[in-house]
Amino acid sequence: MSERLDVTKPHPARRYDYWLGGKDNFQADRDAAEAIAAVFPHIRTAARENRAFMQRAVRFLTAEASVRQFLDIGTGLPTNENVHDVAQGIAPESRIVYVDNDPLVLVHARALLTSSPEGATAYIDADARNPEKILADPALRDTLDFSQPIALLLVALLHFVEDHENPWEIVKHLVAALPAGSYLVLSHATFDPLDEQTIAAMNAVNKNIKPVFSPRSLAEVTRFFEGLDVLEPGIVSVSDWRPAPGPRPTPAEATGYGAVARTRSR
């Protein structure tokens, strides 16, 4: 594990942690994060809004859709109100499997495994680009009951999967493994609401940062939901998905689409 932890190269999970005000990041992560913030000052808002979308989606699925099982791929570093915190706060019997491939996330996985006595949590060290490895991991079947609905979370993840890696097929593969009546929670970065000058500046910064950042259009994001029933209000800015009352950021500040969809009976 230590061989994989290269603190000289920025990592999306640690950069995201920095924008959210966390401390689990290194100088390379902070430098990359600040370079992006210099050309897009709303990036911290975008990170917070994406996180809030995830929490609202989990709250809705637990409280209103009676979902008790969650598969969170691309978990990121532990922060306040992780998936199990939200779900088990409503339904203590909820069961959650986290998946990530960042060695620092693995180090902190113990913070993600503090389940309520009634429920369960597990952690899988794997990459979303290898869905077969995730689906074959014993921890998945040991923790989740595949005869009951499961909510699959792919939150702020797929914009780090390039077109040639076929992120749409990855999502299709994962969703096909879910029981009928399951759900997909997905958010994805977009440049759709940005002006050309900001887009050019963002592209100039991002070309020097790995992994490659691939924001996508509404049409491209919509493809992830083919064959699924997208719940209201549809595929919208993450800030506009079932928001709390009061003012909220504009789509140009949030720069991300989010949606929740239900699988159909087979």
Side-chain angles (χ1 to χ4, degrees):
M1 179 180 64
S2 60
E3 294 178 357
R4 291 174 51 201
L5 181 55
D6 185 349
V7 301
T8 67
K9 296 179 180 178
H11 190 282
R14 302 194 298 265
R15 193 168 64 225
Y16 190 58
D17 173 75
Y18 175 73
W19 285 327
L20 291 173
K23 298 178 180 178
D24 294 312
N25 48 75
F26 300 101
Q27 192 61 49
D29 307 307
R30 295 188 285 272
D31 290 345
E34 288 297 341
I36 294 170
V39 298
F40 184 65
H42 300 298
I43 189 62
R44 288 178 174 83
T45 297
R48 289 194 298 268
E49 288 301 306
N50 180 77
R51 187 75 182 173
F53 159 75
M54 179 277 288
Q55 292 162 347
R56 292 196 304 275
V58 172
R59 199 169 290 118
F60 161 77
L61 289 173
T62 310
E64 299 187 40
S66 299
V67 174
R68 297 294 181 264
Q69 303 190 109
F70 297 85
L71 173 57
D72 182 10
I73 301 178
T75 300
L77 287 153
T79 181
N80 292 328
E81 292 209 39
N82 300 293
V83 174
H84 74 280
D85 297 316
V86 177
Q88 293 183 346
I90 298 168
E93 69 275 21
S94 298
R95 307 173 74 84
I96 297 90
V97 173
Y98 292 108
V99 182
D100 208 293
N101 70 328
D102 177 17
L104 192 61
V105 178
L106 181 59
V107 169
H108 289 274
R110 61 185 179 277
L112 295 167
L113 301 179
T114 54
S115 172
S116 66
E118 302 92 335
T121 56
Y123 183 89
I124 296 173
D125 180 21
D127 192 311
R129 296 173 184 81
N130 189 354
E132 278 295 345
K133 180 180 178 182
I134 297 170
L135 295 171
D137 195 293
L140 183 64
R141 302 282 172 165
D142 289 347
T143 308
L144 304 183
D145 178 359
F146 273 70
S147 71
Q148 298 297 320
I150 296 168
L152 168 65
L153 279 72
L154 299 169
V155 176
L157 170 69
L158 294 168
H159 43 245
F160 297 114
V161 181
E162 297 180 64
D163 284 359
H164 72 86
E165 297 171 307
N166 204 340
W168 298 279
E169 187 60 32
I170 291 172
V171 174
K172 185 178 180 180
H173 192 142
L174 290 166
V175 169
L178 300 177
S182 291
Y183 292 85
L184 170 65
V185 178
L186 186 149
S187 68
H188 198 294
T190 185
F191 283 171
D192 281 358
L194 301 181
D195 60 73
E196 291 183 6
Q197 183 177 353
T198 302
I199 292 172
M202 289 282 279
N203 285 334
V205 170
N206 282 317
K207 73 178 182 180
N208 297 316
I209 300 174
K210 302 295 183 180
V212 173
F213 179 62
S214 301
R216 293 188 169 97
S217 66
L218 177 59
E220 290 172 314
V221 173
T222 299
R223 286 179 58 193
F224 290 117
F225 296 94
E226 289 179 358
L228 304 176
D229 294 324
V230 179
L231 307 185
E232 291 295 333
I235 305 170
V236 296
S237 170
V238 287
S239 298
D240 294 334
W241 195 88
R242 305 191 181 213
R248 56 185 183 271
T250 66
E253 293 168 332
T255 56
Y257 289 117
V260 176
R262 192 173 188 269
T263 64
R264 298 168 182 168
S265 298
R266 299 183 178 92

